[in-house]
Amino acid sequence: MKIVAMGRALPQYVLDNQELSGMVETNDEWITTRTGICQRHIAKGETVVALASQAARQALAQSGVPLESIGVVIVCTFTPDTATPSMACMVQKELGLPQTVLAFDLNAACSGFVYGLAVAEALMDRQGCHALVIGGELLSRLVDYTDRSTCILFGDGAGAAVVSPAGSRTVTDFGADGNAELLSGGGYNINGGREPLRMNGREVFRFAVSTVPGSIRRVVEQAGCTLEEVDHFVLHQANHRITEGVARHLGVNLDRFYENIVHTGNTSAASIPLALWEMQEKDLLHPGDRLVLAGFGGGLTWGAMLLNW
Ligand code: ACO
């Protein structure tokens, strides 16, 4: 499987730490030192469908892949505009993709994009087609802006990848462990209102730093290479300190981990494709580069993937 091109879309409105400090009792210094985040984009009228479609259009234009070659559309999200129609069906309509397309949403929270790529790879084998894998989230929908322990972290956005069945097979490692104590939200309460996102930050931190390094080691080992031979590590952008912790556990220099959390915050399933888009824009990705992607988060879920660019 090969990622042919990336696209991205971010809401126009930027909520910085200064403005957040006027909404809850917090300050720029606390947020930047504990999380690495200075600002996040927040939707004011934009929808998941609009952002996902914009990102997908950009990726398709850059890829040169004709619309008729797209046989699979997966939108990875746990904050869809509607449960039905799915965001993937709406993207099919927005982009005028063939009606023969297999289109569905995938909810694996912050691991969504990595899960989505793996599912797309399997489906492309069956269908003999290209795929569109999109991570699109409006976390601001579920954030309680009176809860200072969560509202500082999350942002909105979408990133899209056009994926081809050409190239070498990826190597993956996945896991899930049902747990509503550490991170939950988006359900309906007794009055029919949506439950906001609630999180035990310390425990989520521990879960991430103890699970992700093992998952990364397993894909590297299965691929028959070493950590030294990986060109880029692209982790879900949850918190700079989590990335630091994972790098330390692996004994890998932090500068091999791409980070953009400083200006996007945590955008869940959109965070890895947003990072890949930026890396492509900065010309950091070259044919044959070995990448390890790693997602982790709500569910709990986690997933690592080794692929060649
Ligand atoms: N500003 C100022 N003070 C704060 C804030 C804030 N925004 N939030 C919490 N505090 C206070 C607490 O009230 C507490 O005060 P106390 O000691 O007087 O009780 C103190 O800071 C320490 O609180 P902790 O929650 O222990 O702070 P911690 O150092 O653990 O940092 C954080 C909190 C940043 C949330 C951290 O736990 C973390 O990053 N965890 C991982 C969370 C994460 O990344 N989640 C996303 C992954 S899953 C997904 O992406 C959906």
Side-chain angles (χ1 to χ4, degrees):
M1 183 193 83
K2 224 174 176 43
I3 294 180
V4 185
M6 300 296 307
R8 76 132 191 214
L10 290 170
Q12 278 200 334
Y13 181 74
V14 173
L15 175 62
D16 63 16
N17 292 350
Q18 191 63 33
E19 188 176 351
L20 262 176
S21 307
M23 295 161 62
V24 286
E25 200 183 328
T26 189
N27 57 74
D28 177 55
E29 203 248 331
W30 196 97
I31 303 173
T32 46
T33 51
R34 305 274 180 136
T35 70
I37 301 168
C38 287
Q39 62 168 58
R40 58 300 278 143
H41 291 253
I42 301 293
K44 300 276 182 201
E46 293 97 340
T47 59
V48 169
V49 168
L51 294 173
S53 301
Q54 189 185 333
R57 238 182 239 114
Q58 190 187 32
L60 275 165
Q62 210 180 89
S63 72
V65 170
L67 295 188
E68 314 81 75
S69 300
I70 301 292
V72 177
V73 181
I74 304 174
V75 177
C76 312
T77 184
F78 80 108
T79 54
D81 303 332
T82 47
T84 192
S86 71
M87 301 298 91
C89 283
M90 296 312 287
V91 168
Q92 177 275 331
K93 182 180 174 217
E94 285 291 318
L95 270 62
L97 292 166
Q99 287 185 357
T100 47
V101 87
L102 206 154
F104 61 96
D105 292 354
L106 183 157
N107 173 357
C110 309
S111 313
F113 187 72
V114 182
Y115 270 60
L117 285 179
V119 173
E121 184 173 33
L123 287 173
M124 284 190 300
D125 274 357
R126 279 176 64 106
Q127 313 278 102
C129 61
H130 285 69
L132 201 45
V133 182
I134 306 165
E137 303 274 18
L138 256 63
L139 270 303
S140 60
R141 279 193 168 132
L142 296 185
V143 168
D144 171 359
Y145 284 96
T146 64
D147 175 5
R148 67 177 181 172
S149 66
T150 54
C151 73
I152 55 159
L153 294 171
F154 298 104
D156 302 336
V162 174
V163 185
S164 134
S168 50
R169 289 200 76 82
T170 65
V171 180
T172 55
D173 179 81
F174 288 107
D177 178 14
N179 184 329
E181 301 299 314
L182 265 53
L183 188 59
S184 68
Y188 292 97
N189 62 33
I190 199 154
N191 303 316
R194 301 294 290 275
E195 300 276 3
L197 210 57
R198 296 286 178 225
M199 180 182 71
N200 180 334
R202 284 216 162 171
E203 289 306 316
V204 170
F205 194 99
R206 269 197 207 111
F207 149 70
V209 175
S210 62
T211 309
V212 177
S215 195
I216 291 178
R217 279 188 196 284
R218 283 191 291 279
V219 291
V220 168
E221 207 170 286
Q222 276 173 50
C225 65
T226 64
L227 289 167
E228 274 316 303
E229 290 170 314
V230 173
D231 297 291
H232 303 281
F233 295 87
V234 187
L235 263 54
H236 162 49
Q237 306 287 298
N239 183 322
H240 169 65
R241 291 200 311 172
I242 290 179
T243 306
E244 234 176 18
V246 170
R248 196 168 46 245
H249 270 71
L250 290 172
V252 171
N253 203 313
L254 190 59
D255 63 15
R256 289 167 61 209
F257 288 72
Y258 188 80
E259 289 191 84
N260 66 350
I261 192 164
V262 62
H263 58 260
T264 54
N266 177 341
T267 56
S268 190
S271 87
I272 292 177
L274 284 172
L276 289 174
W277 180 87
E278 277 190 23
M279 293 173 79
Q280 193 185 43
E281 282 295 296
K282 293 180 181 170
D283 204 20
L284 297 176
L285 298 171
H286 305 109
D289 277 0
R290 205 176 263 141
L291 269 68
V292 170
L293 314 181
F296 51 90
L300 304 167
T301 56
W302 61 94
M305 169 178 277
L306 186 144
L307 76 155
N308 291 318
W309 193 255

